[in-house]
Amino acid sequence: MQSKAIKKAKELLENEELVAIPTETVYGLAGNAYSTIAVKKIYELKGRPSNNPLIVHIKSRAYLDQVAQNIPEQAYKLAETFWPGPLTLVLEKQDRVPALVSAHKNTVGVRVPNHPLTLNLLEALDFPLVAPSANTSNHISPTCKAHVQASFGEKSPYVLDGGPCEAGLESTILGFKGSEILLYRHGVLSKELLSAFLGQEIVEHTHAPVPESPGMFLKHYAPHTPLYFYDDNAFKAAQEKNLRIGFLNFRAINPYINPENQRILSPLGSLEEAAKNLYRLLYELDALGLDLIFAEQLPPHGIGKAIHDKLYRASQK
């Protein structure tokens, strides 16, 4: 039996309207993947550049060949193990997927999200969903209903409220070129884990003048408050100017800064906990009216690489 919330979301989507949906990664701004009208609404509401492709969300791996074709064996192997879950595969698209979804490329990103509400919604629909993060373009990704509403304000779409996101960080994106497997975006699943699973090296390809997948623009995931990686000289200069400074720390408070202007990603030093808390704490710091935010660099392994990548892109001017 469908809940009232699922029924409302289904009705809106079938009428080519948008709905913010929960996933295990971040909330997505969803529309009918086969509707150019709905896809245009997503680009317009987000203010998203038209050359930045979208990810198609399907209900299960059994539906993969409805949106993709000429699928490599490695892709099937990955889907079998990691779907539903935070892994997006960039594959040759079927013609029925509108060109606008893929930014007029012949490939499309596909995944099966791992959230019960959204999986129930997908089961109730006769079409897959495109769903970039449910926020204005380049801003902090949303991990709860309040973040979606704060980002869009009065223009906020209906939010299918699934509570806080479990992982809190975007999906990892892989692509396939010949015998190579390319990493287009760092995410919840680390490059090391996926390389070990496949038994081959994954080639990092996370920067490109023309993005081949979401998450490749240099500036992304940014608060409105200027953000920098911590540097002693920059910190001293900011203090001398009497600027209001915020800190995003990994596991300990900076004793020289007002504790109210600091947030700790993981008191226990867990990278998984840090990832889950990253965007929520950036939203909190961004709401304090600070002049700048310093972020501590995290250990560069596992999901720490993904956290670093998000903070690096958020710091670009």
Side-chain angles (χ1 to χ4, degrees):
M1 183 176 178
Q2 294 175 14
S3 68
K4 289 183 179 179
I6 293 287
K7 286 181 180 178
K8 182 172 182 178
K10 179 176 182 287
E11 181 179 351
L12 287 166
L13 291 163
E14 287 176 339
N15 284 286
E16 298 178 302
E17 298 297 337
L18 308 183
V19 174
I21 59 172
T23 77
E24 79 282 20
T25 58
V26 300
Y27 273 71
L29 181 63
N32 181 345
Y34 296 150
S35 166
T36 300
I37 292 172
V39 175
K40 283 182 178 178
K41 287 180 179 179
I42 289 174
Y43 278 101
E44 289 168 1
L45 182 57
K46 282 180 63 69
R48 186 183 181 93
S50 60
N51 65 340
N52 194 4
L54 306 176
I55 294 173
V56 174
H57 294 64
I58 56 176
K59 61 184 74 178
S60 76
R61 62 180 178 272
Y63 287 79
L64 179 56
D65 62 0
Q66 293 191 13
V67 296
Q69 59 185 340
N70 299 322
I71 301 165
E73 282 304 315
Q74 300 103 314
Y76 283 118
K77 183 178 178 181
L78 287 161
E80 178 73 25
T81 300
F82 295 104
W83 284 358
L87 178 66
T88 295
L89 303 177
V90 176
L91 304 164
E92 184 180 338
K93 78 176 186 70
Q94 291 278 12
D95 291 341
R96 70 189 303 185
V97 177
L100 192 59
V101 168
S102 60
H104 298 275
K105 298 174 178 61
N106 68 344
T107 56
V108 63
V110 188
R111 85 177 185 103
V112 180
N114 191 15
H115 193 287
L117 270 183
T118 293
L119 287 172
N120 287 342
L121 175 61
L122 283 164
E123 281 293 341
L125 296 169
D126 294 327
F127 47 82
L129 296 173
V130 282
S133 56
N135 59 299
T136 54
S137 190
N138 292 337
H139 191 42
I140 308 167
S141 298
T143 58
C144 66
K145 177 181 179 179
H147 294 167
V148 178
Q149 294 172 327
S151 189
F152 290 125
E154 293 180 353
K155 295 182 179 180
S156 178
Y158 174 70
V159 181
L160 184 62
D161 189 359
C165 297
E166 183 179 351
L169 210 63
E170 283 79 6
S171 63
T172 304
I173 302 181
L174 297 183
F176 306 85
K177 287 194 175 179
S179 61
E180 284 190 332
I181 300 179
L182 306 179
L183 176 72
Y184 288 135
R185 181 173 74 183
H186 288 284
V188 176
L189 300 175
S190 71
K191 175 184 172 184
E192 294 87 348
L193 182 152
L194 295 170
S195 290
F197 172 77
L198 291 167
Q200 74 176 85
E201 185 64 25
I202 293 175
V203 180
E204 191 164 328
H205 186 64
T206 56
H207 295 84
V210 178
E212 297 179 57
S213 87
M216 294 185 74
F217 278 125
L218 186 58
K219 183 173 177 61
H220 218 24
Y221 318 111
H224 297 297
T225 309
L227 183 143
Y228 304 88
F229 280 118
Y230 178 78
D231 172 84
D232 280 338
N233 292 331
F235 174 56
K236 290 174 183 175
Q239 281 188 311
E240 289 171 1
K241 294 178 182 178
N242 293 316
L243 298 179
R244 293 195 64 206
I245 303 170
F247 257 85
L248 183 67
N249 304 310
F250 181 29
R251 59 185 303 176
I253 289 285
N254 184 310
Y256 303 105
I257 294 293
N258 182 349
E260 294 181 0
N261 293 346
Q262 299 190 60
R263 296 294 185 274
I264 307 300
L265 289 166
S266 175
L268 298 177
S270 163
L271 290 173
E272 288 71 23
E273 182 183 28
K276 182 175 183 177
N277 290 332
L278 176 64
Y279 294 139
R280 175 177 62 84
L281 297 183
L282 280 176
Y283 266 102
E284 290 183 11
L285 286 170
D286 204 24
L288 295 179
L290 302 166
D291 293 310
L292 57 87
I293 299 167
F294 281 116
E296 181 181 351
Q297 297 204 43
L298 274 68
H301 57 78
I303 201 171
K305 284 186 178 179
I307 299 170
H308 176 87
D309 180 75
K310 310 310 174 195
L311 289 171
Y312 171 76
R313 294 176 194 271
S315 71
Q316 299 305 297
K317 303 302 178 265

